[in-house]
Amino acid sequence: MENKSFWFSSELTLNTFVIPPGGKYPIFLLGIAIYFFSIVCNLTLLSLIILKRNLHKPMYFILFSLPLNDLIGITAMLPKVLSDIVTETNKVYYPLCVLQAFLLHMYGGGILFILAAMSFDRYAAICMPLRYSSVMTPRVVICIIALVWGLDFVLIVSLFSLQSRLPRCKYVVMNVFCDNPSLLKLTCGNTAVNNIIGLFNTAVIQAASVSIQAFSYVKILIACVVTRRSDTKTKAVNTCVAQLLILIIFEIVATFTILSHRFRNVSADLQKIMGMLIFIVPPLLNPIVYGLYTSEIRNTLLTVLKNRVPI
């Protein structure tokens, strides 16, 4: 009974930024501008894929998950942080903290699984052009999308379900938002199993994503080298550059985030900012990168804007 009461009523204290006097409103306005720009870009991409028939293809049905995942990531983190800055409050109830952490971890695993699925689609399109329609059938596409979200969900649920067995005796979250490591620091029990499962899940996600993408892009590179058709090479470059850029952006931001926590001379506020960037930079840049490097999306959007009709 006591554990249930603690679960539903416990209030946690989040860590805060050290903001100079008069700085909170400019920071808030900048954050709001970034958030709404990201929302508009990702919703535009989603709307184009839903409403434009020329984008009703396996590639774009799989791509649909990327802006959706980006919306989950940035919305789960940024509004709460900005609200705490401008209101100078840093309280959150434990269930909401767990929900935020769960969504953020779903976002992190989701982006890698989605990029893996997209790379496989490009492999099938470029390396097996004559069999592409028979390989990437609607049923296969649905199965791929379900596998991406299902596997991500199972791995993250397994990670967070382990926390229910541990007693909680602390109330201060050592971050400006909630994540699994911060929640583990609230417990007083032995977290060895949680750490092992966390490392295992991270290894599975990274290994599955990187291996599928490496296989796909190596095969695509070989196809580009052996083929004599310049249009095939152009198609390969145009469709793969965007995906590779998105992967590189995510991995660079993630690497800097991890490194910021490994050096003691890095300020606490810089560590917090670096931790936030992984949930801000990809959702902000992904739709722009895809809009610039995918000619079909770019031309569709330009046509919509030129005709001045609703998407």
mmCIF file of all heavy atoms in Angstrom, residues 9-47:
data_model
loop_
_atom_site.group_PDB
_atom_site.id
_atom_site.type_symbol
_atom_site.label_atom_id
_atom_site.label_comp_id
_atom_site.label_asym_id
_atom_site.label_seq_id
_atom_site.Cartn_x
_atom_site.Cartn_y
_atom_site.Cartn_z
ATOM 1 N N SER A 9 1.773 9.720 -5.627
ATOM 2 C CA SER A 9 1.781 11.039 -5.020
ATOM 3 C C SER A 9 3.166 11.634 -4.841
ATOM 4 O O SER A 9 3.289 12.789 -4.473
ATOM 5 C CB SER A 9 1.093 10.983 -3.650
ATOM 6 O OG SER A 9 1.827 10.143 -2.772
ATOM 7 N N SER A 10 4.219 10.857 -5.068
ATOM 8 C CA SER A 10 5.560 11.370 -4.801
ATOM 9 C C SER A 10 5.914 12.486 -5.782
ATOM 10 O O SER A 10 5.723 12.367 -6.984
ATOM 11 C CB SER A 10 6.586 10.240 -4.883
ATOM 12 O OG SER A 10 6.591 9.681 -6.182
ATOM 13 N N GLU A 11 6.433 13.567 -5.251
ATOM 14 C CA GLU A 11 6.854 14.704 -6.057
ATOM 15 C C GLU A 11 8.369 14.759 -6.078
ATOM 16 O O GLU A 11 9.019 14.705 -5.024
ATOM 17 C CB GLU A 11 6.282 15.995 -5.478
ATOM 18 C CG GLU A 11 6.454 17.200 -6.389
ATOM 19 C CD GLU A 11 5.778 18.439 -5.848
ATOM 20 O OE1 GLU A 11 6.104 18.818 -4.706
ATOM 21 O OE2 GLU A 11 4.932 19.019 -6.534
ATOM 22 N N LEU A 12 8.924 14.858 -7.268
ATOM 23 C CA LEU A 12 10.372 14.888 -7.424
ATOM 24 C C LEU A 12 10.831 16.306 -7.737
ATOM 25 O O LEU A 12 10.068 17.117 -8.267
ATOM 26 C CB LEU A 12 10.805 13.945 -8.537
ATOM 27 C CG LEU A 12 10.361 12.482 -8.428
ATOM 28 C CD1 LEU A 12 10.808 11.705 -9.655
ATOM 29 C CD2 LEU A 12 10.886 11.838 -7.159
ATOM 30 N N THR A 13 12.083 16.572 -7.439
ATOM 31 C CA THR A 13 12.696 17.863 -7.742
ATOM 32 C C THR A 13 13.714 17.675 -8.847
ATOM 33 O O THR A 13 14.642 16.867 -8.729
ATOM 34 C CB THR A 13 13.384 18.454 -6.501
ATOM 35 O OG1 THR A 13 12.415 18.621 -5.463
ATOM 36 C CG2 THR A 13 14.008 19.799 -6.838
ATOM 37 N N LEU A 14 13.541 18.416 -9.929
ATOM 38 C CA LEU A 14 14.472 18.349 -11.050
ATOM 39 C C LEU A 14 15.616 19.327 -10.840
ATOM 40 O O LEU A 14 15.449 20.375 -10.202
ATOM 41 C CB LEU A 14 13.756 18.681 -12.363
ATOM 42 C CG LEU A 14 12.722 17.672 -12.860
ATOM 43 C CD1 LEU A 14 11.860 18.311 -13.949
ATOM 44 C CD2 LEU A 14 13.386 16.422 -13.389
ATOM 45 N N ASN A 15 16.770 18.992 -11.378
ATOM 46 C CA ASN A 15 17.900 19.910 -11.363
ATOM 47 C C ASN A 15 17.580 21.107 -12.260
ATOM 48 O O ASN A 15 16.729 21.024 -13.143
ATOM 49 C CB ASN A 15 19.160 19.200 -11.853
ATOM 50 C CG ASN A 15 20.394 19.709 -11.151
ATOM 51 O OD1 ASN A 15 20.455 20.875 -10.786
ATOM 52 N ND2 ASN A 15 21.378 18.843 -10.960
ATOM 53 N N THR A 16 18.256 22.212 -12.059
ATOM 54 C CA THR A 16 17.965 23.426 -12.815
ATOM 55 C C THR A 16 19.221 23.987 -13.465
ATOM 56 O O THR A 16 20.344 23.665 -13.084
ATOM 57 C CB THR A 16 17.358 24.508 -11.905
ATOM 58 O OG1 THR A 16 18.274 24.792 -10.841
ATOM 59 C CG2 THR A 16 16.031 24.030 -11.311
ATOM 60 N N PHE A 17 19.006 24.857 -14.455
ATOM 61 C CA PHE A 17 20.103 25.611 -15.055
ATOM 62 C C PHE A 17 20.427 26.821 -14.189
ATOM 63 O O PHE A 17 19.554 27.368 -13.510
ATOM 64 C CB PHE A 17 19.710 26.110 -16.455
ATOM 65 C CG PHE A 17 19.685 25.047 -17.502
ATOM 66 C CD1 PHE A 17 18.476 24.597 -18.017
ATOM 67 C CD2 PHE A 17 20.856 24.509 -17.995
ATOM 68 C CE1 PHE A 17 18.444 23.613 -18.992
ATOM 69 C CE2 PHE A 17 20.838 23.532 -18.984
ATOM 70 C CZ PHE A 17 19.622 23.082 -19.471
ATOM 71 N N VAL A 18 21.680 27.228 -14.227
ATOM 72 C CA VAL A 18 22.076 28.484 -13.584
ATOM 73 C C VAL A 18 21.947 29.577 -14.638
ATOM 74 O O VAL A 18 22.800 29.713 -15.524
ATOM 75 C CB VAL A 18 23.510 28.411 -13.040
ATOM 76 C CG1 VAL A 18 23.911 29.744 -12.413
ATOM 77 C CG2 VAL A 18 23.648 27.284 -12.029
ATOM 78 N N ILE A 19 20.863 30.341 -14.560
ATOM 79 C CA ILE A 19 20.555 31.349 -15.579
ATOM 80 C C ILE A 19 20.774 32.738 -14.994
ATOM 81 O O ILE A 19 20.253 33.057 -13.924
ATOM 82 C CB ILE A 19 19.102 31.200 -16.072
ATOM 83 C CG1 ILE A 19 18.901 29.813 -16.688
ATOM 84 C CG2 ILE A 19 18.759 32.292 -17.080
ATOM 85 C CD1 ILE A 19 17.477 29.530 -17.101
ATOM 86 N N PRO A 20 21.539 33.587 -15.667
ATOM 87 C CA PRO A 20 21.773 34.948 -15.162
ATOM 88 C C PRO A 20 20.483 35.759 -15.159
ATOM 89 O O PRO A 20 19.545 35.450 -15.904
ATOM 90 C CB PRO A 20 22.791 35.520 -16.152
ATOM 91 C CG PRO A 20 22.622 34.713 -17.393
ATOM 92 C CD PRO A 20 22.233 33.344 -16.933
ATOM 93 N N PRO A 21 20.409 36.804 -14.334
ATOM 94 C CA PRO A 21 19.206 37.650 -14.275
ATOM 95 C C PRO A 21 18.859 38.214 -15.651
ATOM 96 O O PRO A 21 19.713 38.711 -16.369
ATOM 97 C CB PRO A 21 19.611 38.770 -13.307
ATOM 98 C CG PRO A 21 20.698 38.170 -12.475
ATOM 99 C CD PRO A 21 21.438 37.227 -13.359
ATOM 100 N N GLY A 22 17.584 38.129 -15.993
ATOM 101 C CA GLY A 22 17.126 38.634 -17.284
ATOM 102 C C GLY A 22 17.354 37.685 -18.439
ATOM 103 O O GLY A 22 17.019 38.021 -19.583
ATOM 104 N N GLY A 23 17.892 36.532 -18.153
ATOM 105 C CA GLY A 23 18.200 35.606 -19.243
ATOM 106 C C GLY A 23 17.135 34.589 -19.540
ATOM 107 O O GLY A 23 17.146 33.966 -20.605
ATOM 108 N N LYS A 24 16.191 34.401 -18.604
ATOM 109 C CA LYS A 24 15.239 33.309 -18.781
ATOM 110 C C LYS A 24 14.268 33.552 -19.932
ATOM 111 O O LYS A 24 13.905 32.605 -20.645
ATOM 112 C CB LYS A 24 14.479 33.037 -17.490
ATOM 113 C CG LYS A 24 13.530 34.123 -17.038
ATOM 114 C CD LYS A 24 12.783 33.682 -15.788
ATOM 115 C CE LYS A 24 11.765 34.723 -15.339
ATOM 116 N NZ LYS A 24 11.000 34.288 -14.152
ATOM 117 N N TYR A 25 13.849 34.804 -20.152
ATOM 118 C CA TYR A 25 12.881 35.053 -21.224
ATOM 119 C C TYR A 25 13.495 34.934 -22.619
ATOM 120 O O TYR A 25 12.874 34.343 -23.519
ATOM 121 C CB TYR A 25 12.221 36.416 -21.025
ATOM 122 C CG TYR A 25 11.281 36.441 -19.835
ATOM 123 C CD1 TYR A 25 11.596 37.159 -18.690
ATOM 124 C CD2 TYR A 25 10.090 35.707 -19.854
ATOM 125 C CE1 TYR A 25 10.749 37.161 -17.588
ATOM 126 C CE2 TYR A 25 9.233 35.702 -18.764
ATOM 127 C CZ TYR A 25 9.567 36.435 -17.627
ATOM 128 O OH TYR A 25 8.728 36.424 -16.543
ATOM 129 N N PRO A 26 14.707 35.468 -22.856
ATOM 130 C CA PRO A 26 15.341 35.205 -24.164
ATOM 131 C C PRO A 26 15.552 33.713 -24.426
ATOM 132 O O PRO A 26 15.336 33.241 -25.553
ATOM 133 C CB PRO A 26 16.676 35.951 -24.056
ATOM 134 C CG PRO A 26 16.424 37.036 -23.072
ATOM 135 C CD PRO A 26 15.479 36.456 -22.067
ATOM 136 N N ILE A 27 15.963 32.963 -23.389
ATOM 137 C CA ILE A 27 16.149 31.521 -23.545
ATOM 138 C C ILE A 27 14.820 30.850 -23.852
ATOM 139 O O ILE A 27 14.733 29.975 -24.726
ATOM 140 C CB ILE A 27 16.782 30.923 -22.276
ATOM 141 C CG1 ILE A 27 18.216 31.413 -22.118
ATOM 142 C CG2 ILE A 27 16.760 29.385 -22.328
ATOM 143 C CD1 ILE A 27 18.865 31.016 -20.807
ATOM 144 N N PHE A 28 13.770 31.261 -23.148
ATOM 145 C CA PHE A 28 12.441 30.695 -23.372
ATOM 146 C C PHE A 28 11.955 30.968 -24.797
ATOM 147 O O PHE A 28 11.447 30.061 -25.471
ATOM 148 C CB PHE A 28 11.458 31.274 -22.362
ATOM 149 C CG PHE A 28 10.031 30.856 -22.567
ATOM 150 C CD1 PHE A 28 9.602 29.589 -22.196
ATOM 151 C CD2 PHE A 28 9.114 31.724 -23.152
ATOM 152 C CE1 PHE A 28 8.287 29.196 -22.392
ATOM 153 C CE2 PHE A 28 7.797 31.339 -23.354
ATOM 154 C CZ PHE A 28 7.381 30.075 -22.974
ATOM 155 N N LEU A 29 12.126 32.215 -25.267
ATOM 156 C CA LEU A 29 11.669 32.572 -26.617
ATOM 157 C C LEU A 29 12.455 31.816 -27.687
ATOM 158 O O LEU A 29 11.884 31.372 -28.690
ATOM 159 C CB LEU A 29 11.801 34.079 -26.824
ATOM 160 C CG LEU A 29 10.852 34.950 -25.988
ATOM 161 C CD1 LEU A 29 11.158 36.426 -26.202
ATOM 162 C CD2 LEU A 29 9.391 34.659 -26.338
ATOM 163 N N LEU A 30 13.768 31.663 -27.465
ATOM 164 C CA LEU A 30 14.579 30.891 -28.410
ATOM 165 C C LEU A 30 14.127 29.437 -28.437
ATOM 166 O O LEU A 30 13.993 28.836 -29.517
ATOM 167 C CB LEU A 30 16.056 30.974 -28.022
ATOM 168 C CG LEU A 30 17.023 30.126 -28.855
ATOM 169 C CD1 LEU A 30 17.005 30.579 -30.312
ATOM 170 C CD2 LEU A 30 18.436 30.195 -28.276
ATOM 171 N N GLY A 31 13.873 28.868 -27.256
ATOM 172 C CA GLY A 31 13.412 27.482 -27.179
ATOM 173 C C GLY A 31 12.060 27.285 -27.844
ATOM 174 O O GLY A 31 11.849 26.286 -28.555
ATOM 175 N N ILE A 32 11.154 28.218 -27.625
ATOM 176 C CA ILE A 32 9.826 28.140 -28.247
ATOM 177 C C ILE A 32 9.944 28.218 -29.765
ATOM 178 O O ILE A 32 9.248 27.491 -30.499
ATOM 179 C CB ILE A 32 8.913 29.264 -27.716
ATOM 180 C CG1 ILE A 32 8.453 28.945 -26.293
ATOM 181 C CG2 ILE A 32 7.700 29.472 -28.612
ATOM 182 C CD1 ILE A 32 7.546 27.728 -26.189
ATOM 183 N N ALA A 33 10.811 29.110 -30.257
ATOM 184 C CA ALA A 33 11.006 29.239 -31.709
ATOM 185 C C ALA A 33 11.544 27.938 -32.296
ATOM 186 O O ALA A 33 11.078 27.475 -33.350
ATOM 187 C CB ALA A 33 11.961 30.394 -32.003
ATOM 188 N N ILE A 34 12.532 27.342 -31.631
ATOM 189 C CA ILE A 34 13.090 26.069 -32.082
ATOM 190 C C ILE A 34 12.026 24.984 -32.083
ATOM 191 O O ILE A 34 11.892 24.210 -33.046
ATOM 192 C CB ILE A 34 14.280 25.655 -31.188
ATOM 193 C CG1 ILE A 34 15.467 26.586 -31.414
ATOM 194 C CG2 ILE A 34 14.684 24.200 -31.456
ATOM 195 C CD1 ILE A 34 16.604 26.367 -30.451
ATOM 196 N N TYR A 35 11.230 24.935 -31.007
ATOM 197 C CA TYR A 35 10.206 23.889 -30.876
ATOM 198 C C TYR A 35 9.159 24.008 -31.979
ATOM 199 O O TYR A 35 8.844 23.021 -32.659
ATOM 200 C CB TYR A 35 9.553 23.980 -29.502
ATOM 201 C CG TYR A 35 8.433 22.987 -29.292
ATOM 202 C CD1 TYR A 35 8.697 21.622 -29.232
ATOM 203 C CD2 TYR A 35 7.115 23.411 -29.180
ATOM 204 C CE1 TYR A 35 7.679 20.705 -29.058
ATOM 205 C CE2 TYR A 35 6.088 22.500 -28.998
ATOM 206 C CZ TYR A 35 6.367 21.154 -28.936
ATOM 207 O OH TYR A 35 5.343 20.248 -28.773
ATOM 208 N N PHE A 36 8.628 25.211 -32.189
ATOM 209 C CA PHE A 36 7.566 25.364 -33.183
ATOM 210 C C PHE A 36 8.090 25.200 -34.608
ATOM 211 O O PHE A 36 7.375 24.700 -35.478
ATOM 212 C CB PHE A 36 6.866 26.716 -33.015
ATOM 213 C CG PHE A 36 5.836 26.724 -31.917
ATOM 214 C CD1 PHE A 36 6.076 27.392 -30.736
ATOM 215 C CD2 PHE A 36 4.645 26.031 -32.060
ATOM 216 C CE1 PHE A 36 5.134 27.385 -29.713
ATOM 217 C CE2 PHE A 36 3.694 26.014 -31.046
ATOM 218 C CZ PHE A 36 3.938 26.694 -29.869
ATOM 219 N N PHE A 37 9.330 25.606 -34.855
ATOM 220 C CA PHE A 37 9.919 25.381 -36.174
ATOM 221 C C PHE A 37 10.022 23.885 -36.452
ATOM 222 O O PHE A 37 9.697 23.419 -37.559
ATOM 223 C CB PHE A 37 11.295 26.037 -36.263
ATOM 224 C CG PHE A 37 11.954 25.888 -37.602
ATOM 225 C CD1 PHE A 37 11.569 26.670 -38.670
ATOM 226 C CD2 PHE A 37 12.959 24.940 -37.796
ATOM 227 C CE1 PHE A 37 12.172 26.522 -39.916
ATOM 228 C CE2 PHE A 37 13.565 24.786 -39.026
ATOM 229 C CZ PHE A 37 13.175 25.583 -40.094
ATOM 230 N N SER A 38 10.462 23.135 -35.456
ATOM 231 C CA SER A 38 10.566 21.680 -35.608
ATOM 232 C C SER A 38 9.193 21.050 -35.808
ATOM 233 O O SER A 38 9.027 20.159 -36.657
ATOM 234 C CB SER A 38 11.242 21.072 -34.372
ATOM 235 O OG SER A 38 11.260 19.662 -34.442
ATOM 236 N N ILE A 39 8.210 21.506 -35.043
ATOM 237 C CA ILE A 39 6.852 20.972 -35.169
ATOM 238 C C ILE A 39 6.300 21.219 -36.567
ATOM 239 O O ILE A 39 5.746 20.309 -37.215
ATOM 240 C CB ILE A 39 5.919 21.606 -34.114
ATOM 241 C CG1 ILE A 39 6.314 21.169 -32.699
ATOM 242 C CG2 ILE A 39 4.453 21.231 -34.388
ATOM 243 C CD1 ILE A 39 6.160 19.700 -32.432
ATOM 244 N N VAL A 40 6.463 22.446 -37.075
ATOM 245 C CA VAL A 40 5.951 22.794 -38.403
ATOM 246 C C VAL A 40 6.627 21.957 -39.481
ATOM 247 O O VAL A 40 5.962 21.414 -40.386
ATOM 248 C CB VAL A 40 6.150 24.299 -38.676
ATOM 249 C CG1 VAL A 40 5.862 24.623 -40.149
ATOM 250 C CG2 VAL A 40 5.237 25.134 -37.783
ATOM 251 N N CYS A 41 7.950 21.824 -39.407
ATOM 252 C CA CYS A 41 8.691 21.059 -40.422
ATOM 253 C C CYS A 41 8.275 19.590 -40.430
ATOM 254 O O CYS A 41 8.030 19.002 -41.494
ATOM 255 C CB CYS A 41 10.185 21.176 -40.178
ATOM 256 S SG CYS A 41 10.876 22.807 -40.530
ATOM 257 N N ASN A 42 8.197 18.990 -39.252
ATOM 258 C CA ASN A 42 7.855 17.568 -39.180
ATOM 259 C C ASN A 42 6.390 17.315 -39.545
ATOM 260 O O ASN A 42 6.085 16.311 -40.206
ATOM 261 C CB ASN A 42 8.154 17.026 -37.777
ATOM 262 C CG ASN A 42 9.630 16.767 -37.548
ATOM 263 O OD1 ASN A 42 10.201 15.837 -38.082
ATOM 264 N ND2 ASN A 42 10.267 17.619 -36.759
ATOM 265 N N LEU A 43 5.495 18.199 -39.138
ATOM 266 C CA LEU A 43 4.086 18.046 -39.514
ATOM 267 C C LEU A 43 3.902 18.240 -41.017
ATOM 268 O O LEU A 43 3.052 17.589 -41.628
ATOM 269 C CB LEU A 43 3.214 19.033 -38.739
ATOM 270 C CG LEU A 43 2.965 18.712 -37.260
ATOM 271 C CD1 LEU A 43 2.095 19.795 -36.620
ATOM 272 C CD2 LEU A 43 2.296 17.344 -37.098
ATOM 273 N N THR A 44 4.674 19.137 -41.600
ATOM 274 C CA THR A 44 4.617 19.332 -43.057
ATOM 275 C C THR A 44 5.024 18.058 -43.785
ATOM 276 O O THR A 44 4.362 17.630 -44.746
ATOM 277 C CB THR A 44 5.533 20.492 -43.480
ATOM 278 O OG1 THR A 44 5.098 21.694 -42.859
ATOM 279 C CG2 THR A 44 5.509 20.671 -44.998
ATOM 280 N N LEU A 45 6.100 17.437 -43.330
ATOM 281 C CA LEU A 45 6.564 16.190 -43.945
ATOM 282 C C LEU A 45 5.525 15.082 -43.780
ATOM 283 O O LEU A 45 5.226 14.348 -44.736
ATOM 284 C CB LEU A 45 7.888 15.768 -43.330
ATOM 285 C CG LEU A 45 8.588 14.549 -43.923
ATOM 286 C CD1 LEU A 45 8.777 14.707 -45.426
ATOM 287 C CD2 LEU A 45 9.927 14.312 -43.238
ATOM 288 N N LEU A 46 4.941 14.972 -42.591
ATOM 289 C CA LEU A 46 3.898 13.974 -42.357
ATOM 290 C C LEU A 46 2.693 14.217 -43.261
ATOM 291 O O LEU A 46 2.130 13.275 -43.839
ATOM 292 C CB LEU A 46 3.460 14.007 -40.889
ATOM 293 C CG LEU A 46 4.447 13.458 -39.847
ATOM 294 C CD1 LEU A 46 3.922 13.712 -38.438
ATOM 295 C CD2 LEU A 46 4.679 11.967 -40.051
ATOM 296 N N SER A 47 2.296 15.483 -43.377
ATOM 297 C CA SER A 47 1.123 15.832 -44.191
ATOM 298 C C SER A 47 1.351 15.522 -45.666
ATOM 299 O O SER A 47 0.452 15.019 -46.352
ATOM 300 C CB SER A 47 0.778 17.313 -44.011
ATOM 301 O OG SER A 47 0.493 17.607 -42.663
#
